[in-house]
Amino acid sequence: EQCGTEATSPDGNNFMFFMGDIDSNRGVQLYQMTDGGVPEEVAMIQALGCVGGGGRFQYSPDSELFAYINYEPDAQLADYAQGNLVIRRTNNREVVEDFDRFEVVAFDLFDGGAIFTYFFTNDRGEAVEAALNVWDGSSDREFFSVEAQEGCRYVSSYVKEGAEHFWLVLNERCSG
């Protein structure tokens, strides 16, 4: 099955797909096919990395990189889905960056970089703060963070790079 809505690279030379049981916690095998050639293995990932929301697989606009979130096996059952963001080179599938120090919930890849969001939790495991990080191709930095409203927690995020700005959407669930 094709890996998300952006399974074909913008230059039209690469196609990403997966095989496996999408309802299984064992994960699915991700493959890349270049110029209609033999499919090459990329990684075992949770199917959510292809069919999920803000963490869905994507190629960079120049087709040089691709990225996905390697979700935790039980991510679909959690209050919010999170995992480590993996960025690879398209031509050889080599890992360029593996953000395993963050539990990423959403990302957007652009030429030479990426933006991504992750949540900070309180002592009850509720996401009460969100941070937006920018990766410039060699290092990352926190751009800003925002706390949830009193009595609320974050449950999802969407982020998009635009001409000279970033779009960030945070979904809160509030009690009371």
Side-chain angles (χ1 to χ4, degrees), residues 54-56 58 60-61 65 67-69 85-87 97 99 102 104-118 131-137 139-144 157-169:
R56 192 175 314 128
Q58 60 181 260
S60 61
L65 302 171
Y68 55 88
I69 294 178
L85 174 62
V86 179
I87 300 175
E97 187 67 62
F99 293 98
F102 300 108
V104 175
V105 293
F107 75 94
D108 189 37
L109 200 55
F110 53 88
D111 290 345
I115 55 175
F116 58 93
T117 56
Y118 58 96
L132 177 73
N133 270 34
V134 179
W135 176 69
D136 65 8
S139 63
D140 66 277
R141 66 180 171 84
E142 185 176 300
F143 191 66
F144 74 89
S157 173
Y158 174 81
V159 63
K160 186 75 176 162
E161 185 266 343
E164 301 183 29
H165 60 271
F166 301 126
W167 296 98
L168 173 62
V169 177

Side-chain angles (χ1 to χ4, degrees), residues 2-16 57 59 63:
Q2 77 176 29
C3 187
T5 58
E6 298 182 38
T8 301
S9 61
D11 65 8
N13 295 330
N14 302 283
F15 180 71
M16 194 68 66
F57 169 87
Y59 285 100
S63 301

Side-chain angles (χ1 to χ4, degrees), residues 27-70:
V28 297
Q29 181 63 54
L30 189 62
Y31 294 92
Q32 179 176 264
M33 193 164 48
T34 301
D35 296 324
V38 176
E40 299 282 341
E41 288 186 1
V42 175
M44 280 293 283
I45 67 169
Q46 293 299 311
L48 193 57
C50 286
V51 299
R56 192 175 314 128
F57 169 87
Q58 60 181 260
Y59 285 100
S60 61
D62 64 6
S63 301
E64 295 294 317
L65 302 171
F66 66 84
Y68 55 88
I69 294 178
N70 190 13

